[in-house]
Amino acid sequence: MTKKKLRVLIVEDLEDDALLLLLELKKGGYDPVYTRVDSAKEMEKVLKINEWDIILADPFLSEDTAAWLDLAKKKNAIVQIIILAQKDKIDTAMDIFESRALHYLEIPVNSKALDLALIAASKNISRNKKLDRYSERLAELHGTQDLLNQLFEE
């Protein structure tokens, strides 16, 4: 079975939790290329130099996490955000992030729930990339139409 490449930014202060997430990704058939950050400052740096498919984020890492996740979405509208929170904080995470995240998963992460969230994220990424290609093509066609109009107006 060919493993699916996945560029993952893990926003998590506990290295062991990040390693468990990577293990789950590998068990799910993914070949993650990842970076783990444990501060808003590190997140700012990696958002400037890399593009990600998925961000797995602890929303309570810092006060600025929500702002940085918003920045990630602005920089790359295709990126999919999955929020990971303790059971007693999941509702608070939903209140803070509302619809900005694709999924909200409880820690410890259930393998099946993570797999389903990644499948949904992959479908969204694929659909959004197609929409981008179609939009670019439409813009090209519109430009061609403008040229034809100019040509025949002269």
Side-chain angles (χ1 to χ4, degrees):
M1 179 204 304
T2 304
K3 295 210 175 235
K4 297 166 266 192
K5 283 267 185 219
L6 191 65
R7 297 171 301 174
V8 182
L9 175 60
I10 300 175
V11 181
E12 173 59 60
D13 57 342
L14 301 174
E15 187 173 6
D16 287 346
D17 286 353
L19 292 173
L20 286 171
L21 285 170
L22 289 171
L23 183 62
E24 291 297 334
L25 291 171
K26 290 176 182 177
K27 281 182 8 186
Y30 294 94
D31 180 16
V33 176
Y34 76 97
T35 297
R36 180 183 73 89
V37 296
D38 63 4
S39 71
K41 192 169 202 76
E42 285 182 48
M43 190 169 174
E44 178 183 13
K45 283 183 207 171
V46 299
L47 288 176
K48 287 180 181 176
I49 58 173
N50 293 62
E51 282 205 7
W52 307 98
D53 298 315
I54 306 280
I55 298 176
L56 299 171
D58 171 355
F60 304 107
L61 185 63
S62 82
E63 294 175 5
D64 299 331
T65 302
W68 291 117
L69 291 175
D70 285 344
L71 179 66
K73 265 304 218 194
K74 284 179 186 162
K75 184 177 183 279
N76 176 9
I78 293 175
V79 71
Q80 301 296 299
I81 298 171
I82 299 173
I83 298 294
L84 309 169
Q86 298 292 331
K87 185 176 184 166
D88 62 334
K89 293 183 178 180
I90 200 88
D91 288 336
T92 305
M94 288 178 184
D95 290 341
I96 294 170
F97 289 92
E98 298 172 341
S99 63
R100 290 181 271 180
L102 176 67
H103 282 282
Y104 294 84
L105 301 177
E106 291 179 6
I107 298 173
V109 175
N110 175 294
S111 298
K112 185 69 173 174
L114 179 59
D115 193 43
L116 290 172
L118 291 171
I119 289 168
S122 294
K123 286 179 182 177
N124 282 351
I125 291 166
S126 177
R127 183 182 62 241
N128 289 341
K129 284 182 178 178
K130 282 180 187 175
L131 285 171
D132 283 352
R133 283 195 306 273
Y134 295 155
S135 294
E136 289 170 7
R137 184 68 181 127
L138 192 58
E140 289 172 10
L141 291 172
H142 185 69
T144 302
Q145 182 64 43
D146 289 345
L147 285 173
L148 288 172
N149 289 340
Q150 289 174 4
L151 180 67
F152 289 108
E153 286 177 1
E154 293 179 2

